[in-house]
Amino acid sequence: MNRVIPISIWSRGMINCFLIKGDKKHILVDTGVPNSEKKIIKQLNKYGIDKNDIGLIIITHSHIDHFGSAFKLKQILKMPILAHELDVESYITGKADISTMKLNKPQWWLFKQIIKNQKTEPFEPEILIEGDTEYDLKDWGVNGKIIHTPGHTPGSLSIVLENEEVIIMDMMASGILLGGIMFHKRVKHPPFHDNLTVLKKSFGKILLEKGKRYYLGHGGPLDRTQVIEYYDKYLKSRSAV
């Protein structure tokens, strides 16, 4: 039976990555900020997960708090990395592209400047998803698929499992500050998105899928009612392109 196991990079859900437990092999979703590899391996050990049983790393999008330790974990775990072609420039340079990043509130300006100056070891994904192609995870022992959900970044990816667990990472957030600390069920905007109108379409795609529990990169997890609450509050009134 597949299930999602949260792995905390910063405490109280401020930054999350996830392990998808498969029947034989497992999948690591995102790798946190730079130098998170020891923390991730320690938590895998805590859950009784042998690092040799991880078959794939998925990078959901090109912000450095999600791909920061990808290179080092690839060296440790010795498995391929999957990502979307539209975000690949950040991965091969080791630096997040913030050229299209639009702040959701003016006070996040300083945070954007911090990201602008961050860099990590570059890497090249072995598996690239092109366009809106869906990627079946059955070859990795997981009953589910990866779908393209742009809006936060052009190449943002989400994972939909047949057990109705869904990983949507930074499509939305919950809690206070970056997301987490407290009030984990309070829906909110992440600090920034690439394109809110495109994001609205991606939420339409996500909500067409069966989902009961939604895992976020910052805060969460949330149920379907809370995801719809976010959509209604922040995106529903936006005109489609």
Side-chain angles (χ1 to χ4, degrees), residues 41-69:
I41 295 298
K42 183 177 180 180
Q43 290 183 69
L44 293 177
N45 291 336
K46 171 187 164 185
Y47 287 110
I49 302 295
D50 186 334
K51 69 179 187 298
N52 296 314
D53 290 335
I54 298 176
L56 178 69
I57 296 174
I58 297 170
I59 301 297
T60 61
H61 66 280
S62 57
H63 290 159
I64 205 159
D65 55 327
H66 293 264
F67 75 88
S69 299

Side-chain angles (χ1 to χ4, degrees), residues 3-239:
R3 66 187 178 98
V4 174
I5 298 174
I7 297 175
S8 181
I9 302 301
W10 285 4
S11 62
R12 300 182 182 273
M14 288 188 69
I15 298 180
N16 303 312
C17 58
F18 299 97
L19 181 88
I20 304 174
K21 197 172 187 304
D23 297 329
K24 294 180 180 178
K25 290 289 185 179
H26 317 301
I27 296 173
L28 182 64
V29 181
D30 283 348
T31 64
V33 296
N35 302 311
S36 297
E37 63 278 358
K38 290 181 180 178
K39 183 176 287 189
I40 290 171
I41 295 298
K42 183 177 180 180
Q43 290 183 69
L44 293 177
N45 291 336
K46 171 187 164 185
Y47 287 110
I49 302 295
D50 186 334
K51 69 179 187 298
N52 296 314
D53 290 335
I54 298 176
L56 178 69
I57 296 174
I58 297 170
I59 301 297
T60 61
H61 66 280
S62 57
H63 290 159
I64 205 159
D65 55 327
H66 293 264
F67 75 88
S69 299
F71 174 83
K72 288 183 178 176
L73 280 165
K74 178 178 171 58
Q75 305 308 304
I76 293 168
L77 301 176
K78 295 179 172 52
M79 88 279 295
I81 295 177
L82 178 149
H84 195 280
E85 62 174 352
L86 292 179
D87 281 357
V88 75
E89 183 68 20
S90 293
Y91 308 139
I92 62 177
T93 62
K95 193 171 183 178
D97 179 7
I98 65 168
S99 60
T100 60
M101 188 185 288
K102 299 176 183 67
L103 298 178
N104 288 321
K105 290 185 178 180
Q107 59 262 41
W108 286 109
W109 177 86
L110 179 59
F111 193 58
K112 183 175 180 179
Q113 299 313 302
I114 294 171
I115 289 176
K116 181 180 180 180
N117 295 316
Q118 283 190 323
K119 193 164 184 180
T120 190
E121 295 94 341
F123 67 95
E124 189 167 347
E126 286 80 6
I127 305 170
L128 283 178
I129 291 181
E130 299 179 357
D132 287 330
T133 304
E134 293 187 354
Y135 186 91
D136 196 327
L137 291 170
K138 66 182 178 182
D139 289 342
W140 306 99
V142 169
N143 296 317
K145 62 183 178 180
I146 302 171
I147 62 175
H148 183 213
T149 50
H152 185 63
T153 68
S156 288
L157 298 172
S158 296
I159 299 101
V160 180
L161 302 180
E162 290 183 8
N163 67 359
E164 300 184 335
E165 291 184 301
V166 186
I167 299 173
I168 61 174
M169 280 303 184
D170 289 7
M171 288 181 70
M172 60 182 293
S174 72
I176 63 173
L177 296 180
L178 186 60
I181 298 184
M182 59 180 62
F183 306 120
H184 288 183
K185 303 300 182 183
R186 180 187 293 175
V187 300
K188 61 177 287 185
H189 261 332
F192 21 67
H193 284 304
D194 174 67
N195 187 313
L196 285 173
T197 304
V198 173
L199 184 69
K200 175 182 177 179
K201 292 184 176 182
S202 291
F203 265 96
K205 184 188 293 188
I206 280 289
L207 291 171
L208 284 175
E209 302 285 347
K210 291 181 179 179
K212 289 183 178 178
R213 190 168 180 83
Y214 296 79
Y215 293 91
L216 313 179
H218 309 285
L222 303 177
D223 62 29
R224 187 176 183 88
T225 299
Q226 292 164 311
V227 174
I228 293 171
E229 177 190 347
Y230 172 83
Y231 174 83
D232 288 344
K233 183 176 181 179
Y234 293 104
L235 301 174
K236 190 174 183 179
S237 63
R238 301 189 73 84
S239 300

